[in-house]
Amino acid sequence: MKVSNFPIFTQKDVPSEAEITSHQLMIKSGMIRKLSSGQYSWLPIGLRVIQKIEKIIREELNNIGCAEILMPSVQPAELWKESGRWDEYGPELLRFKDRHEREFCLGPTFEEVITDLIRKDVSSYKQLPMNLFQISSKFRDEIRPRFGVMRAREFIMKDAYSFHETQDCLDNTYEIYKSAYQKIFKRLMLDYTIVDADSGNIGGNESNEFHVIAETGEDDLLLDNKCNGMNLEIAKIKYSEDSLESIIKKTGLTHKKGIEVGHIFKLGQKYSEKMKAKITTKDSKSINMFMGCYGIGITRIVAAAIEQSHDSNGIIWPKSISPFEAVIIEIDGHKNKEVRSHSNEVYSLLKNSKKNIIHDDRNANFGNKMKDWELIGIPHMIIIGNNEAKNKTITYRARTENTKFEIKVEEIVSKLN
RNA sequence: CGGGGUGUAGCGCAGCUUGGUAGCGCGGCUGGUUUGGGACCAGUAGGUCGUAGGUUCGAAUCCUAUCACCCCGACCA
């Protein structure tokens, strides 16, 4: 990619409404723009980060035998009335009517739709277990959207669902997802912790949350010295205390703030009972399927990763989700033919080595370009000016270090690995 | 929904108390000199002051209503 064809939208000042670092940096670095409260457009740089995260999630879910599907966000009220959640879910469910006065909602989660899908096509234990996931926009009419994409009214979530003949099978699968999630968050290079959680609105009997520990997190966690623990709701019940302070006093657990980026649930038969999702077992009995569901907040991960990794110059992307692996910053390339052709050669070389590269071919000051790419947070910077063009070298600088050094062109590829 | 706050150029803000020609910085555009860490000079465009009503000879400024946005809380992934 060249900046001439891949617009970047960095800006110096940031709207005063952006309070937390990740929100400010996402606006400054040109990842997002606000449409209205809790709703954001994703610009090229931001969308690439989302796509990197999605790729990792897809790979790890495919690895555990989970197949991708896509379901409609507009969902008929009948399904939600069948599950009982049309009334239970409350005002957070964004509802509307079509021209025929039929009631619909925009899906905040997809248990109803997928249960309906599966009950129509699955009728035998031989078809189970079955694992399906989708990546799509979810809608929640939040009381108070805040912190940019951290708590948005429209956001991208991965939701997976599993279907089983027995509780045992669900239990096994739940553990498989749990370890797949650990692989995913490790590859995303997030500093996370797993806690016991309340299953809330989704329902079921066992659940775990995956949190990125961050000051700006909205959730209260209680952790032991091995970082195992639970969220506040569970702790209140478990220790029969009603305040954070009294629980800390009673248990000696450490209080941390967390950003919830993943949540897995054992739903059991909650939905299959209400929605009559039945299969026939080996001995010809008709039973309700056992279900699990597994979510990851993709757009929230973007913000959480920034909260966790930045400095005064901007974002520092983990290599695995950086929008580009490296940036070629050319100096004076629009005027100096040698510089332009040398940077084009380096660009082709890296492209042929399957590297994701952005080539900054703008007519702009060196300082401007450096500031932009430090703000955007690309891990590797390759500087090409008159000297490098003459010597057939490049000057390398890592995002996290202040020193630059000149290296031969042949050394670049290994430098980036 | 309760409490607090803000709406003036793309962004950051001043002007409002005490009504009388709508300003500053950054950014944009044109021309030129620059380009190895957010350059400089000259010129230029851009605002029905959130919206509607009222008071007044006259409203960004005073009054009323309304909308949007932000923060704290309740709630929630």
Side-chain angles (χ1 to χ4, degrees):
Chain A
M1 283 291 168
K2 300 197 181 238
V3 175
S4 46
N5 301 318
F6 187 91
I8 60 174
F9 295 89
T10 52
Q11 57 184 45
K12 277 188 179 175
D13 292 323
V14 73
S16 48
E17 66 187 40
E19 286 250 322
I20 64 170
T21 307
S22 59
H23 190 194
Q24 291 172 351
L25 288 175
M26 287 176 83
I27 293 169
K28 282 183 82 173
S29 65
M31 294 176 68
I32 55 167
R33 289 292 182 265
K34 186 170 78 174
L35 175 64
S36 72
S37 181
Q39 298 193 270
Y40 290 85
S41 299
W42 288 82
L43 298 173
I45 290 280
L47 185 60
R48 278 188 80 97
V49 176
I50 287 181
Q51 289 167 341
K52 288 281 184 88
I53 296 169
E54 288 179 350
K55 184 166 184 280
I56 290 171
I57 292 173
R58 285 194 167 96
E59 285 172 6
E60 293 301 331
L61 289 181
N62 287 337
N63 276 344
I64 61 166
C66 193
E68 187 165 2
I69 59 170
L70 185 59
M71 296 177 276
S73 288
V74 173
Q75 308 181 357
E78 284 78 10
L79 284 182
W80 285 74
K81 286 177 178 167
E82 211 181 328
S83 74
R85 288 207 293 182
W86 188 257
D87 296 323
E88 283 168 16
Y89 210 95
E92 212 177 296
L93 187 63
L94 190 52
R95 302 159 214 243
F96 64 98
K97 286 179 184 171
D98 73 1
R99 66 171 75 194
H100 306 297
E101 293 288 305
R102 275 190 70 193
E103 292 179 298
F104 290 88
C105 65
L106 287 175
T109 177
F110 282 68
E111 284 79 11
E112 282 79 1
V113 175
I114 194 144
T115 305
D116 179 64
L117 182 74
I118 295 301
R119 70 179 169 184
K120 287 172 174 164
D121 271 275
V122 174
S123 51
S124 163
Y125 75 97
K126 291 177 189 169
Q127 292 166 283
L128 300 185
M130 187 179 281
N131 289 280
L132 298 168
F133 79 99
Q134 68 167 352
I135 293 175
S136 69
S137 289
K138 307 293 188 281
F139 299 83
R140 295 188 188 176
D141 195 358
E142 290 288 343
I143 296 175
R144 181 150 86 88
R146 70 185 110 174
F147 302 149
V149 301
M150 201 75 91
R151 177 169 298 279
R153 295 198 295 176
E154 178 172 349
F155 57 98
I156 299 172
M157 186 169 110
K158 183 283 301 178
D159 47 327
Y161 304 88
S162 67
F163 297 86
H164 312 269
E165 185 187 353
T166 64
Q167 178 74 44
D168 269 2
C169 183
L170 168 60
D171 291 346
N172 286 336
T173 298
Y174 185 86
E175 293 305 320
I176 289 169
Y177 275 94
K178 203 168 174 178
S179 63
Y181 270 42
Q182 287 172 285
K183 283 182 191 158
I184 288 167
F185 289 117
K186 193 177 177 195
R187 284 182 67 185
L188 295 171
M189 300 166 103
L190 292 173
D191 179 19
Y192 72 97
T193 188
I194 305 174
V195 301
D196 295 333
D198 182 24
S199 49
N201 233 334
I202 311 290
N205 46 25
E206 187 177 343
S207 103
N208 289 106
E209 289 172 351
F210 291 71
H211 284 266
V212 169
I213 302 297
E215 285 289 312
T216 46
E218 292 187 83
D219 294 324
D220 293 296
L221 309 178
L222 290 151
L223 306 176
D224 64 22
N225 49 20
K226 287 176 189 153
C227 268
N228 296 314
M230 65 205 82
N231 68 18
L232 182 59
E233 290 74 36
I234 289 285
K236 281 179 180 171
I237 298 163
K238 186 168 175 183
Y239 299 111
S240 313
E241 294 285 346
D242 53 11
S243 80
L244 184 59
E245 291 68 33
S246 55
I247 295 167
I248 294 169
K249 207 173 172 184
K250 188 170 186 175
T251 62
L253 293 169
T254 308
H255 172 234
K256 295 258 182 174
K257 285 283 188 178
I259 300 167
E260 184 187 344
V261 290
H263 200 160
I264 56 179
F265 306 80
K266 289 183 189 175
L267 298 174
Q269 294 168 304
K270 174 176 172 175
Y271 293 90
S272 57
E273 266 172 25
K274 290 217 159 130
M275 298 180 67
K276 302 185 177 60
K278 292 175 185 302
I279 47 150
T280 307
T281 61
K282 198 171 183 179
D283 45 4
S284 294
K285 276 193 215 152
S286 180
I287 62 151
N288 297 312
M289 287 184 252
F290 290 82
M291 291 172 58
C293 84
Y294 317 88
I296 293 180
I298 291 172
T299 42
R300 187 180 274 182
I301 283 175
V302 179
I306 296 171
E307 283 297 322
Q308 201 180 268
S309 177
H310 64 269
D311 65 14
S312 57
N313 293 320
I315 301 166
I316 300 172
W317 285 116
K319 282 177 187 167
S320 59
I321 59 172
S322 175
F324 294 96
E325 290 175 79
V327 54
I328 296 172
I329 296 169
E330 64 173 29
I331 302 166
D332 222 4
H334 66 289
K335 272 205 305 209
N336 185 326
K337 280 182 187 166
E338 286 77 32
V339 168
R340 177 55 55 88
S341 71
H342 184 47
S343 34
N344 279 336
E345 279 167 31
V346 174
Y347 177 69
S348 304
L349 172 78
L350 290 169
K351 219 175 145 189
N352 291 338
S353 310
K354 305 261 192 259
K355 299 290 180 193
N356 282 319
I357 304 297
I358 181 93
H359 175 184
D360 192 346
D361 56 353
R362 288 176 297 172
N363 171 8
N365 281 312
F366 177 65
N368 276 312
K369 292 188 180 184
M370 289 300 286
K371 289 286 179 191
D372 269 353
W373 292 107
E374 281 170 354
L375 175 63
I376 292 167
I378 307 295
H380 305 291
M381 291 182 261
I382 294 166
I383 300 159
I384 294 176
N386 201 29
N387 297 339
E388 290 81 2
K390 282 209 170 74
N391 304 338
K392 293 290 169 198
T393 56
I394 63 109
T395 292
Y396 174 84
R397 174 163 165 218
R399 170 66 179 82
T400 48
E401 284 166 40
N402 263 327
T403 50
K404 301 176 193 143
F405 44 91
E406 204 171 337
I407 59 174
K408 289 178 193 156
V409 168
E410 304 84 67
E411 296 171 50
I412 304 172
V413 176
S414 61
K415 189 80 202 164
L416 302 193
N417 286 335

